[in-house]
PDB file of all heavy atoms in Angstrom:
ATOM      1  N   ARG A   1       8.041  10.487 -18.961  1.00  0.00           N
ATOM      2  CA  ARG A   1       6.656  10.950 -18.907  1.00  0.00           C
ATOM      3  C   ARG A   1       6.008  10.576 -17.571  1.00  0.00           C
ATOM      4  O   ARG A   1       5.271  11.380 -16.986  1.00  0.00           O
ATOM      5  CB  ARG A   1       5.859  10.343 -20.063  1.00  0.00           C
ATOM      6  CG  ARG A   1       6.321  10.822 -21.443  1.00  0.00           C
ATOM      7  CD  ARG A   1       5.543  10.134 -22.550  1.00  0.00           C
ATOM      8  NE  ARG A   1       4.127  10.454 -22.482  1.00  0.00           N
ATOM      9  CZ  ARG A   1       3.174   9.743 -23.078  1.00  0.00           C
ATOM     10  NH1 ARG A   1       3.503   8.648 -23.756  1.00  0.00           N
ATOM     11  NH2 ARG A   1       1.916  10.111 -22.996  1.00  0.00           N
ATOM     12  N   ILE A   2       6.279   9.368 -17.103  1.00  0.00           N
ATOM     13  CA  ILE A   2       5.740   8.962 -15.803  1.00  0.00           C
ATOM     14  C   ILE A   2       6.303   9.849 -14.700  1.00  0.00           C
ATOM     15  O   ILE A   2       5.570  10.318 -13.815  1.00  0.00           O
ATOM     16  CB  ILE A   2       6.052   7.474 -15.536  1.00  0.00           C
ATOM     17  CG1 ILE A   2       5.307   6.585 -16.527  1.00  0.00           C
ATOM     18  CG2 ILE A   2       5.704   7.103 -14.096  1.00  0.00           C
ATOM     19  CD1 ILE A   2       5.685   5.112 -16.445  1.00  0.00           C
ATOM     20  N   ALA A   3       7.606  10.100 -14.751  1.00  0.00           N
ATOM     21  CA  ALA A   3       8.241  10.930 -13.723  1.00  0.00           C
ATOM     22  C   ALA A   3       7.653  12.338 -13.726  1.00  0.00           C
ATOM     23  O   ALA A   3       7.390  12.924 -12.662  1.00  0.00           O
ATOM     24  CB  ALA A   3       9.752  10.979 -13.950  1.00  0.00           C
ATOM     25  N   ALA A   4       7.443  12.905 -14.907  1.00  0.00           N
ATOM     26  CA  ALA A   4       6.882  14.254 -14.999  1.00  0.00           C
ATOM     27  C   ALA A   4       5.464  14.297 -14.434  1.00  0.00           C
ATOM     28  O   ALA A   4       5.079  15.252 -13.749  1.00  0.00           O
ATOM     29  CB  ALA A   4       6.887  14.724 -16.448  1.00  0.00           C
ATOM     30  N   ALA A   5       4.681  13.245 -14.689  1.00  0.00           N
ATOM     31  CA  ALA A   5       3.318  13.205 -14.175  1.00  0.00           C
ATOM     32  C   ALA A   5       3.314  13.161 -12.646  1.00  0.00           C
ATOM     33  O   ALA A   5       2.549  13.878 -11.991  1.00  0.00           O
ATOM     34  CB  ALA A   5       2.585  12.005 -14.748  1.00  0.00           C
ATOM     35  N   PHE A   6       4.162  12.345 -12.060  1.00  0.00           N
ATOM     36  CA  PHE A   6       4.191  12.246 -10.603  1.00  0.00           C
ATOM     37  C   PHE A   6       4.660  13.543  -9.951  1.00  0.00           C
ATOM     38  O   PHE A   6       4.231  13.886  -8.841  1.00  0.00           O
ATOM     39  CB  PHE A   6       5.075  11.078 -10.160  1.00  0.00           C
ATOM     40  CG  PHE A   6       4.354   9.761 -10.099  1.00  0.00           C
ATOM     41  CD1 PHE A   6       4.703   8.717 -10.949  1.00  0.00           C
ATOM     42  CD2 PHE A   6       3.322   9.563  -9.202  1.00  0.00           C
ATOM     43  CE1 PHE A   6       4.044   7.497 -10.894  1.00  0.00           C
ATOM     44  CE2 PHE A   6       2.637   8.350  -9.131  1.00  0.00           C
ATOM     45  CZ  PHE A   6       3.001   7.311  -9.991  1.00  0.00           C
ATOM     46  N   ARG A   7       5.522  14.270 -10.610  1.00  0.00           N
ATOM     47  CA  ARG A   7       6.027  15.521 -10.039  1.00  0.00           C
ATOM     48  C   ARG A   7       4.972  16.623 -10.001  1.00  0.00           C
ATOM     49  O   ARG A   7       5.176  17.675  -9.386  1.00  0.00           O
ATOM     50  CB  ARG A   7       7.255  16.002 -10.805  1.00  0.00           C
ATOM     51  CG  ARG A   7       8.528  15.234 -10.473  1.00  0.00           C
ATOM     52  CD  ARG A   7       9.758  15.968 -10.973  1.00  0.00           C
ATOM     53  NE  ARG A   7       9.769  16.067 -12.426  1.00  0.00           N
ATOM     54  CZ  ARG A   7      10.360  15.192 -13.233  1.00  0.00           C
ATOM     55  NH1 ARG A   7      10.982  14.137 -12.723  1.00  0.00           N
ATOM     56  NH2 ARG A   7      10.318  15.352 -14.531  1.00  0.00           N
ATOM     57  N   ALA A   8       3.826  16.377 -10.621  1.00  0.00           N
ATOM     58  CA  ALA A   8       2.778  17.403 -10.677  1.00  0.00           C
ATOM     59  C   ALA A   8       1.933  17.458  -9.412  1.00  0.00           C
ATOM     60  O   ALA A   8       1.205  18.432  -9.205  1.00  0.00           O
ATOM     61  CB  ALA A   8       1.883  17.151 -11.888  1.00  0.00           C
ATOM     62  N   ARG A   9       1.992  16.424  -8.554  1.00  0.00           N
ATOM     63  CA  ARG A   9       1.176  16.401  -7.345  1.00  0.00           C
ATOM     64  C   ARG A   9       2.014  15.924  -6.162  1.00  0.00           C
ATOM     65  O   ARG A   9       3.091  15.352  -6.331  1.00  0.00           O
ATOM     66  CB  ARG A   9      -0.042  15.475  -7.502  1.00  0.00           C
ATOM     67  CG  ARG A   9      -1.019  15.869  -8.588  1.00  0.00           C
ATOM     68  CD  ARG A   9      -2.263  14.987  -8.492  1.00  0.00           C
ATOM     69  NE  ARG A   9      -3.138  15.134  -9.647  1.00  0.00           N
ATOM     70  CZ  ARG A   9      -4.297  14.507  -9.798  1.00  0.00           C
ATOM     71  NH1 ARG A   9      -4.726  13.678  -8.837  1.00  0.00           N
ATOM     72  NH2 ARG A   9      -5.030  14.672 -10.870  1.00  0.00           N
ATOM     73  N   THR A  10       1.480  16.136  -4.973  1.00  0.00           N
ATOM     74  CA  THR A  10       2.174  15.699  -3.764  1.00  0.00           C
ATOM     75  C   THR A  10       1.956  14.205  -3.531  1.00  0.00           C
ATOM     76  O   THR A  10       1.065  13.585  -4.144  1.00  0.00           O
ATOM     77  CB  THR A  10       1.678  16.454  -2.534  1.00  0.00           C
ATOM     78  OG1 THR A  10       0.318  16.072  -2.282  1.00  0.00           O
ATOM     79  CG2 THR A  10       1.775  17.958  -2.729  1.00  0.00           C
ATOM     80  N   ARG A  11       2.745  13.658  -2.627  1.00  0.00           N
ATOM     81  CA  ARG A  11       2.610  12.243  -2.291  1.00  0.00           C
ATOM     82  C   ARG A  11       1.211  11.915  -1.796  1.00  0.00           C
ATOM     83  O   ARG A  11       0.606  10.914  -2.223  1.00  0.00           O
ATOM     84  CB  ARG A  11       3.639  11.861  -1.222  1.00  0.00           C
ATOM     85  CG  ARG A  11       3.678  10.371  -0.920  1.00  0.00           C
ATOM     86  CD  ARG A  11       4.537  10.065   0.291  1.00  0.00           C
ATOM     87  NE  ARG A  11       3.941  10.576   1.528  1.00  0.00           N
ATOM     88  CZ  ARG A  11       4.380  10.268   2.744  1.00  0.00           C
ATOM     89  NH1 ARG A  11       5.437   9.479   2.890  1.00  0.00           N
ATOM     90  NH2 ARG A  11       3.797  10.777   3.827  1.00  0.00           N
ATOM     91  N   GLU A  12       0.650  12.708  -0.906  1.00  0.00           N
ATOM     92  CA  GLU A  12      -0.661  12.409  -0.359  1.00  0.00           C
ATOM     93  C   GLU A  12      -1.757  12.549  -1.400  1.00  0.00           C
ATOM     94  O   GLU A  12      -2.751  11.806  -1.378  1.00  0.00           O
ATOM     95  CB  GLU A  12      -0.943  13.289   0.860  1.00  0.00           C
ATOM     96  CG  GLU A  12      -0.047  12.978   2.051  1.00  0.00           C
ATOM     97  CD  GLU A  12      -0.012  11.493   2.377  1.00  0.00           C
ATOM     98  OE1 GLU A  12      -1.099  10.902   2.560  1.00  0.00           O
ATOM     99  OE2 GLU A  12       1.093  10.908   2.415  1.00  0.00           O
ATOM    100  N   GLU A  13      -1.587  13.488  -2.314  1.00  0.00           N
ATOM    101  CA  GLU A  13      -2.571  13.611  -3.395  1.00  0.00           C
ATOM    102  C   GLU A  13      -2.569  12.351  -4.249  1.00  0.00           C
ATOM    103  O   GLU A  13      -3.632  11.809  -4.592  1.00  0.00           O
ATOM    104  CB  GLU A  13      -2.268  14.846  -4.241  1.00  0.00           C
ATOM    105  CG  GLU A  13      -2.587  16.162  -3.538  1.00  0.00           C
ATOM    106  CD  GLU A  13      -2.132  17.372  -4.320  1.00  0.00           C
ATOM    107  OE1 GLU A  13      -1.121  17.287  -5.071  1.00  0.00           O
ATOM    108  OE2 GLU A  13      -2.768  18.428  -4.179  1.00  0.00           O
ATOM    109  N   TRP A  14      -1.382  11.854  -4.584  1.00  0.00           N
ATOM    110  CA  TRP A  14      -1.310  10.629  -5.386  1.00  0.00           C
ATOM    111  C   TRP A  14      -1.799   9.424  -4.580  1.00  0.00           C
ATOM    112  O   TRP A  14      -2.424   8.518  -5.135  1.00  0.00           O
ATOM    113  CB  TRP A  14       0.107  10.391  -5.880  1.00  0.00           C
ATOM    114  CG  TRP A  14       0.490  11.256  -7.044  1.00  0.00           C
ATOM    115  CD1 TRP A  14       1.518  12.142  -7.121  1.00  0.00           C
ATOM    116  CD2 TRP A  14      -0.151  11.297  -8.328  1.00  0.00           C
ATOM    117  NE1 TRP A  14       1.564  12.746  -8.357  1.00  0.00           N
ATOM    118  CE2 TRP A  14       0.546  12.240  -9.116  1.00  0.00           C
ATOM    119  CE3 TRP A  14      -1.252  10.644  -8.887  1.00  0.00           C
ATOM    120  CZ2 TRP A  14       0.191  12.532 -10.429  1.00  0.00           C
ATOM    121  CZ3 TRP A  14      -1.611  10.930 -10.201  1.00  0.00           C
ATOM    122  CH2 TRP A  14      -0.893  11.875 -10.952  1.00  0.00           C
ATOM    123  N   ALA A  15      -1.524   9.397  -3.284  1.00  0.00           N
ATOM    124  CA  ALA A  15      -2.005   8.284  -2.464  1.00  0.00           C
ATOM    125  C   ALA A  15      -3.526   8.203  -2.498  1.00  0.00           C
ATOM    126  O   ALA A  15      -4.097   7.113  -2.571  1.00  0.00           O
ATOM    127  CB  ALA A  15      -1.505   8.436  -1.033  1.00  0.00           C
ATOM    128  N   ARG A  16      -4.185   9.347  -2.454  1.00  0.00           N
ATOM    129  CA  ARG A  16      -5.646   9.345  -2.498  1.00  0.00           C
ATOM    130  C   ARG A  16      -6.156   8.871  -3.854  1.00  0.00           C
ATOM    131  O   ARG A  16      -7.237   8.285  -3.947  1.00  0.00           O
ATOM    132  CB  ARG A  16      -6.180  10.743  -2.181  1.00  0.00           C
ATOM    133  CG  ARG A  16      -6.056  11.124  -0.706  1.00  0.00           C
ATOM    134  CD  ARG A  16      -6.849  12.375  -0.384  1.00  0.00           C
ATOM    135  NE  ARG A  16      -6.267  13.567  -0.993  1.00  0.00           N
ATOM    136  CZ  ARG A  16      -5.337  14.320  -0.408  1.00  0.00           C
ATOM    137  NH1 ARG A  16      -4.873  14.001   0.796  1.00  0.00           N
ATOM    138  NH2 ARG A  16      -4.858  15.397  -1.012  1.00  0.00           N
ATOM    139  N   VAL A  17      -5.382   9.109  -4.894  1.00  0.00           N
ATOM    140  CA  VAL A  17      -5.776   8.665  -6.229  1.00  0.00           C
ATOM    141  C   VAL A  17      -5.603   7.161  -6.372  1.00  0.00           C
ATOM    142  O   VAL A  17      -6.485   6.450  -6.882  1.00  0.00           O
ATOM    143  CB  VAL A  17      -4.941   9.400  -7.305  1.00  0.00           C
ATOM    144  CG1 VAL A  17      -5.145   8.753  -8.679  1.00  0.00           C
ATOM    145  CG2 VAL A  17      -5.304  10.878  -7.349  1.00  0.00           C
ATOM    146  N   PHE A  18      -4.465   6.642  -5.925  1.00  0.00           N
ATOM    147  CA  PHE A  18      -4.080   5.274  -6.270  1.00  0.00           C
ATOM    148  C   PHE A  18      -4.403   4.218  -5.217  1.00  0.00           C
ATOM    149  O   PHE A  18      -4.716   3.077  -5.570  1.00  0.00           O
ATOM    150  CB  PHE A  18      -2.578   5.215  -6.556  1.00  0.00           C
ATOM    151  CG  PHE A  18      -2.212   5.621  -7.951  1.00  0.00           C
ATOM    152  CD1 PHE A  18      -1.595   6.833  -8.201  1.00  0.00           C
ATOM    153  CD2 PHE A  18      -2.471   4.775  -9.022  1.00  0.00           C
ATOM    154  CE1 PHE A  18      -1.253   7.206  -9.485  1.00  0.00           C
ATOM    155  CE2 PHE A  18      -2.136   5.136 -10.313  1.00  0.00           C
ATOM    156  CZ  PHE A  18      -1.519   6.362 -10.547  1.00  0.00           C
ATOM    157  N   GLU A  19      -4.324   4.537  -3.952  1.00  0.00           N
ATOM    158  CA  GLU A  19      -4.329   3.454  -2.975  1.00  0.00           C
ATOM    159  C   GLU A  19      -5.652   2.708  -2.872  1.00  0.00           C
ATOM    160  O   GLU A  19      -5.658   1.550  -2.474  1.00  0.00           O
ATOM    161  CB  GLU A  19      -3.837   3.957  -1.618  1.00  0.00           C
ATOM    162  CG  GLU A  19      -2.335   4.249  -1.668  1.00  0.00           C
ATOM    163  CD  GLU A  19      -1.698   4.495  -0.311  1.00  0.00           C
ATOM    164  OE1 GLU A  19      -2.432   4.610   0.685  1.00  0.00           O
ATOM    165  OE2 GLU A  19      -0.457   4.572  -0.267  1.00  0.00           O
ATOM    166  N   PRO A  20      -6.797   3.293  -3.267  1.00  0.00           N
ATOM    167  CA  PRO A  20      -8.014   2.457  -3.302  1.00  0.00           C
ATOM    168  C   PRO A  20      -8.216   1.750  -4.648  1.00  0.00           C
ATOM    169  O   PRO A  20      -9.278   1.191  -4.882  1.00  0.00           O
ATOM    170  CB  PRO A  20      -9.142   3.473  -3.065  1.00  0.00           C
ATOM    171  CG  PRO A  20      -8.493   4.810  -2.894  1.00  0.00           C
ATOM    172  CD  PRO A  20      -7.122   4.703  -3.444  1.00  0.00           C
ATOM    173  N   SER A  21      -7.242   1.776  -5.558  1.00  0.00           N
ATOM    174  CA  SER A  21      -7.463   1.343  -6.940  1.00  0.00           C
ATOM    175  C   SER A  21      -6.713   0.050  -7.262  1.00  0.00           C
ATOM    176  O   SER A  21      -5.994  -0.505  -6.440  1.00  0.00           O
ATOM    177  CB  SER A  21      -6.978   2.440  -7.896  1.00  0.00           C
ATOM    178  OG  SER A  21      -5.564   2.409  -7.998  1.00  0.00           O
ATOM    179  N   ASP A  22      -6.868  -0.407  -8.512  1.00  0.00           N
ATOM    180  CA  ASP A  22      -6.118  -1.548  -9.039  1.00  0.00           C
ATOM    181  C   ASP A  22      -4.874  -1.101  -9.810  1.00  0.00           C
ATOM    182  O   ASP A  22      -4.303  -1.880 -10.573  1.00  0.00           O
ATOM    183  CB  ASP A  22      -7.000  -2.372  -9.984  1.00  0.00           C
ATOM    184  CG  ASP A  22      -8.052  -3.178  -9.239  1.00  0.00           C
ATOM    185  OD1 ASP A  22      -7.983  -3.229  -7.989  1.00  0.00           O
ATOM    186  OD2 ASP A  22      -8.937  -3.756  -9.893  1.00  0.00           O
ATOM    187  N   GLY A  23      -4.440   0.130  -9.593  1.00  0.00           N
ATOM    188  CA  GLY A  23      -3.285   0.630 -10.328  1.00  0.00           C
ATOM    189  C   GLY A  23      -1.953   0.151  -9.800  1.00  0.00           C
ATOM    190  O   GLY A  23      -0.915   0.386 -10.423  1.00  0.00           O
ATOM    191  N   CYS A  24      -1.948  -0.544  -8.656  1.00  0.00           N
ATOM    192  CA  CYS A  24      -0.725  -1.105  -8.059  1.00  0.00           C
ATOM    193  C   CYS A  24       0.315  -0.021  -7.810  1.00  0.00           C
ATOM    194  O   CYS A  24       1.487  -0.123  -8.237  1.00  0.00           O
ATOM    195  CB  CYS A  24      -0.147  -2.213  -8.940  1.00  0.00           C
ATOM    196  SG  CYS A  24      -1.206  -3.664  -9.027  1.00  0.00           S
ATOM    197  N   VAL A  25      -0.092   1.022  -7.133  1.00  0.00           N
ATOM    198  CA  VAL A  25       0.790   2.125  -6.755  1.00  0.00           C
ATOM    199  C   VAL A  25       0.543   2.424  -5.279  1.00  0.00           C
ATOM    200  O   VAL A  25      -0.601   2.437  -4.824  1.00  0.00           O
ATOM    201  CB  VAL A  25       0.524   3.387  -7.605  1.00  0.00           C
ATOM    202  CG1 VAL A  25       1.391   4.546  -7.132  1.00  0.00           C
ATOM    203  CG2 VAL A  25       0.774   3.099  -9.079  1.00  0.00           C
ATOM    204  N   ALA A  26       1.610   2.662  -4.541  1.00  0.00           N
ATOM    205  CA  ALA A  26       1.481   2.976  -3.116  1.00  0.00           C
ATOM    206  C   ALA A  26       2.494   4.027  -2.721  1.00  0.00           C
ATOM    207  O   ALA A  26       3.602   4.088  -3.273  1.00  0.00           O
ATOM    208  CB  ALA A  26       1.677   1.717  -2.269  1.00  0.00           C
ATOM    209  N   ALA A  27       2.119   4.861  -1.770  1.00  0.00           N
ATOM    210  CA  ALA A  27       3.045   5.860  -1.235  1.00  0.00           C
ATOM    211  C   ALA A  27       4.108   5.173  -0.389  1.00  0.00           C
ATOM    212  O   ALA A  27       3.815   4.253   0.367  1.00  0.00           O
ATOM    213  CB  ALA A  27       2.282   6.878  -0.401  1.00  0.00           C
ATOM    214  N   VAL A  28       5.347   5.645  -0.520  1.00  0.00           N
ATOM    215  CA  VAL A  28       6.445   5.126   0.290  1.00  0.00           C
ATOM    216  C   VAL A  28       6.394   5.810   1.654  1.00  0.00           C
ATOM    217  O   VAL A  28       6.542   7.025   1.751  1.00  0.00           O
ATOM    218  CB  VAL A  28       7.797   5.375  -0.396  1.00  0.00           C
ATOM    219  CG1 VAL A  28       8.952   4.893   0.494  1.00  0.00           C
ATOM    220  CG2 VAL A  28       7.842   4.678  -1.765  1.00  0.00           C
ATOM    221  N   ARG A  29       6.180   5.022   2.694  1.00  0.00           N
ATOM    222  CA  ARG A  29       6.053   5.552   4.042  1.00  0.00           C
ATOM    223  C   ARG A  29       7.351   5.368   4.819  1.00  0.00           C
ATOM    224  O   ARG A  29       8.068   4.401   4.619  1.00  0.00           O
ATOM    225  CB  ARG A  29       4.927   4.832   4.793  1.00  0.00           C
ATOM    226  CG  ARG A  29       3.572   4.886   4.088  1.00  0.00           C
ATOM    227  CD  ARG A  29       2.978   6.270   4.096  1.00  0.00           C
ATOM    228  NE  ARG A  29       1.730   6.329   3.321  1.00  0.00           N
ATOM    229  CZ  ARG A  29       1.021   7.426   3.153  1.00  0.00           C
ATOM    230  NH1 ARG A  29       1.428   8.565   3.713  1.00  0.00           N
ATOM    231  NH2 ARG A  29      -0.088   7.415   2.433  1.00  0.00           N
ATOM    232  N   SER A  30       7.621   6.281   5.717  1.00  0.00           N
ATOM    233  CA  SER A  30       8.804   6.184   6.558  1.00  0.00           C
ATOM    234  C   SER A  30       8.567   5.205   7.699  1.00  0.00           C
ATOM    235  O   SER A  30       7.445   4.747   7.928  1.00  0.00           O
ATOM    236  CB  SER A  30       9.148   7.555   7.137  1.00  0.00           C
ATOM    237  OG  SER A  30       8.185   7.928   8.115  1.00  0.00           O
ATOM    238  N   LEU A  31       9.617   4.889   8.440  1.00  0.00           N
ATOM    239  CA  LEU A  31       9.477   4.016   9.599  1.00  0.00           C
ATOM    240  C   LEU A  31       8.502   4.604  10.612  1.00  0.00           C
ATOM    241  O   LEU A  31       7.707   3.870  11.229  1.00  0.00           O
ATOM    242  CB  LEU A  31      10.834   3.803  10.265  1.00  0.00           C
ATOM    243  CG  LEU A  31      11.901   3.061   9.443  1.00  0.00           C
ATOM    244  CD1 LEU A  31      13.225   3.054  10.194  1.00  0.00           C
ATOM    245  CD2 LEU A  31      11.458   1.646   9.136  1.00  0.00           C
ATOM    246  N   ALA A  32       8.551   5.913  10.792  1.00  0.00           N
ATOM    247  CA  ALA A  32       7.651   6.556  11.750  1.00  0.00           C
ATOM    248  C   ALA A  32       6.211   6.561  11.245  1.00  0.00           C
ATOM    249  O   ALA A  32       5.258   6.486  12.042  1.00  0.00           O
ATOM    250  CB  ALA A  32       8.113   7.985  12.023  1.00  0.00           C
ATOM    251  N   GLU A  33       6.028   6.648   9.934  1.00  0.00           N
ATOM    252  CA  GLU A  33       4.683   6.716   9.368  1.00  0.00           C
ATOM    253  C   GLU A  33       4.013   5.354   9.251  1.00  0.00           C
ATOM    254  O   GLU A  33       2.785   5.246   9.331  1.00  0.00           O
ATOM    255  CB  GLU A  33       4.734   7.348   7.979  1.00  0.00           C
ATOM    256  CG  GLU A  33       5.125   8.807   7.944  1.00  0.00           C
ATOM    257  CD  GLU A  33       5.311   9.301   6.516  1.00  0.00           C
ATOM    258  OE1 GLU A  33       5.939   8.589   5.706  1.00  0.00           O
ATOM    259  OE2 GLU A  33       4.815  10.397   6.219  1.00  0.00           O
ATOM    260  N   ALA A  34       4.790   4.295   9.036  1.00  0.00           N
ATOM    261  CA  ALA A  34       4.232   2.993   8.697  1.00  0.00           C
ATOM    262  C   ALA A  34       3.182   2.493   9.688  1.00  0.00           C
ATOM    263  O   ALA A  34       2.112   2.027   9.269  1.00  0.00           O
ATOM    264  CB  ALA A  34       5.358   1.970   8.550  1.00  0.00           C
ATOM    265  N   PRO A  35       3.405   2.568  11.008  1.00  0.00           N
ATOM    266  CA  PRO A  35       2.390   2.035  11.920  1.00  0.00           C
ATOM    267  C   PRO A  35       1.047   2.747  11.842  1.00  0.00           C
ATOM    268  O   PRO A  35       0.037   2.195  12.293  1.00  0.00           O
ATOM    269  CB  PRO A  35       3.034   2.232  13.302  1.00  0.00           C
ATOM    270  CG  PRO A  35       4.501   2.275  13.035  1.00  0.00           C
ATOM    271  CD  PRO A  35       4.627   2.978  11.716  1.00  0.00           C
ATOM    272  N   CYS A  36       1.030   3.968  11.288  1.00  0.00           N
ATOM    273  CA  CYS A  36      -0.207   4.746  11.200  1.00  0.00           C
ATOM    274  C   CYS A  36      -0.938   4.530   9.884  1.00  0.00           C
ATOM    275  O   CYS A  36      -2.037   5.084   9.692  1.00  0.00           O
ATOM    276  CB  CYS A  36       0.101   6.235  11.381  1.00  0.00           C
ATOM    277  SG  CYS A  36       0.910   6.633  12.942  1.00  0.00           S
ATOM    278  N   HIS A  37      -0.361   3.768   8.968  1.00  0.00           N
ATOM    279  CA  HIS A  37      -1.048   3.529   7.703  1.00  0.00           C
ATOM    280  C   HIS A  37      -2.387   2.837   7.983  1.00  0.00           C
ATOM    281  O   HIS A  37      -2.444   1.882   8.765  1.00  0.00           O
ATOM    282  CB  HIS A  37      -0.185   2.652   6.799  1.00  0.00           C
ATOM    283  CG  HIS A  37      -0.748   2.489   5.419  1.00  0.00           C
ATOM    284  ND1 HIS A  37      -1.756   1.592   5.136  1.00  0.00           N
ATOM    285  CD2 HIS A  37      -0.455   3.126   4.259  1.00  0.00           C
ATOM    286  CE1 HIS A  37      -2.053   1.668   3.843  1.00  0.00           C
ATOM    287  NE2 HIS A  37      -1.289   2.591   3.294  1.00  0.00           N
ATOM    288  N   PRO A  38      -3.473   3.298   7.380  1.00  0.00           N
ATOM    289  CA  PRO A  38      -4.792   2.775   7.723  1.00  0.00           C
ATOM    290  C   PRO A  38      -4.913   1.255   7.608  1.00  0.00           C
ATOM    291  O   PRO A  38      -5.536   0.612   8.454  1.00  0.00           O
ATOM    292  CB  PRO A  38      -5.727   3.494   6.747  1.00  0.00           C
ATOM    293  CG  PRO A  38      -5.008   4.769   6.418  1.00  0.00           C
ATOM    294  CD  PRO A  38      -3.547   4.423   6.429  1.00  0.00           C
ATOM    295  N   HIS A  39      -4.329   0.689   6.569  1.00  0.00           N
ATOM    296  CA  HIS A  39      -4.447  -0.766   6.405  1.00  0.00           C
ATOM    297  C   HIS A  39      -3.665  -1.503   7.485  1.00  0.00           C
ATOM    298  O   HIS A  39      -4.162  -2.466   8.090  1.00  0.00           O
ATOM    299  CB  HIS A  39      -3.946  -1.177   5.023  1.00  0.00           C
ATOM    300  CG  HIS A  39      -4.089  -2.644   4.759  1.00  0.00           C
ATOM    301  ND1 HIS A  39      -5.267  -3.221   4.365  1.00  0.00           N
ATOM    302  CD2 HIS A  39      -3.185  -3.666   4.867  1.00  0.00           C
ATOM    303  CE1 HIS A  39      -5.105  -4.527   4.234  1.00  0.00           C
ATOM    304  NE2 HIS A  39      -3.855  -4.826   4.540  1.00  0.00           N
ATOM    305  N   LEU A  40      -2.432  -1.061   7.730  1.00  0.00           N
ATOM    306  CA  LEU A  40      -1.614  -1.725   8.741  1.00  0.00           C
ATOM    307  C   LEU A  40      -2.212  -1.542  10.129  1.00  0.00           C
ATOM    308  O   LEU A  40      -2.171  -2.456  10.959  1.00  0.00           O
ATOM    309  CB  LEU A  40      -0.179  -1.185   8.703  1.00  0.00           C
ATOM    310  CG  LEU A  40       0.547  -1.275   7.356  1.00  0.00           C
ATOM    311  CD1 LEU A  40       2.012  -0.880   7.522  1.00  0.00           C
ATOM    312  CD2 LEU A  40       0.432  -2.668   6.751  1.00  0.00           C
ATOM    313  N   ALA A  41      -2.772  -0.358  10.373  1.00  0.00           N
ATOM    314  CA  ALA A  41      -3.407  -0.118  11.666  1.00  0.00           C
ATOM    315  C   ALA A  41      -4.630  -1.013  11.844  1.00  0.00           C
ATOM    316  O   ALA A  41      -4.864  -1.565  12.924  1.00  0.00           O
ATOM    317  CB  ALA A  41      -3.798   1.352  11.790  1.00  0.00           C
ATOM    318  N   ALA A  42      -5.406  -1.188  10.786  1.00  0.00           N
ATOM    319  CA  ALA A  42      -6.610  -2.018  10.873  1.00  0.00           C
ATOM    320  C   ALA A  42      -6.262  -3.480  11.142  1.00  0.00           C
ATOM    321  O   ALA A  42      -6.992  -4.183  11.850  1.00  0.00           O
ATOM    322  CB  ALA A  42      -7.421  -1.896   9.589  1.00  0.00           C
ATOM    323  N   ARG A  43      -5.155  -3.943  10.588  1.00  0.00           N
ATOM    324  CA  ARG A  43      -4.738  -5.330  10.774  1.00  0.00           C
ATOM    325  C   ARG A  43      -3.934  -5.541  12.054  1.00  0.00           C
ATOM    326  O   ARG A  43      -3.672  -6.694  12.435  1.00  0.00           O
ATOM    327  CB  ARG A  43      -3.883  -5.796   9.587  1.00  0.00           C
ATOM    328  CG  ARG A  43      -4.684  -6.120   8.358  1.00  0.00           C
ATOM    329  CD  ARG A  43      -3.803  -6.654   7.235  1.00  0.00           C
ATOM    330  NE  ARG A  43      -3.022  -7.821   7.618  1.00  0.00           N
ATOM    331  CZ  ARG A  43      -3.491  -9.076   7.657  1.00  0.00           C
ATOM    332  NH1 ARG A  43      -4.773  -9.301   7.383  1.00  0.00           N
ATOM    333  NH2 ARG A  43      -2.706 -10.085   7.985  1.00  0.00           N
ATOM    334  N   GLY A  44      -3.504  -4.460  12.682  1.00  0.00           N
ATOM    335  CA  GLY A  44      -2.645  -4.622  13.848  1.00  0.00           C
ATOM    336  C   GLY A  44      -1.273  -5.129  13.481  1.00  0.00           C
ATOM    337  O   GLY A  44      -0.672  -5.934  14.204  1.00  0.00           O
TER     338      GLY A  44
END
């Protein structure tokens, strides 16, 4: 059921849902994407 729910939306759509929340879910970023993640960028 969890897998079916996640397949209904894109990674970025789910990231916008979960990453500001207490749901403890995060998008898996690639090596190229990681430095641009807003939190990592803010912390340097």
Side-chain angles (χ1 to χ4, degrees):
R1 295 177 63 199
I2 294 173
F6 273 115
R7 283 195 296 267
R9 298 188 191 182
T10 67
R11 186 189 68 169
E12 293 310 306
E13 288 173 330
W14 282 121
R16 287 192 291 271
V17 169
F18 277 107
E19 289 191 351
S21 78
D22 287 351
C24 293
V25 176
V28 177
R29 304 291 175 181
S30 71
L31 295 175
E33 293 173 316
C36 302
H37 187 280
H39 183 81
L40 304 188
R43 283 183 56 80

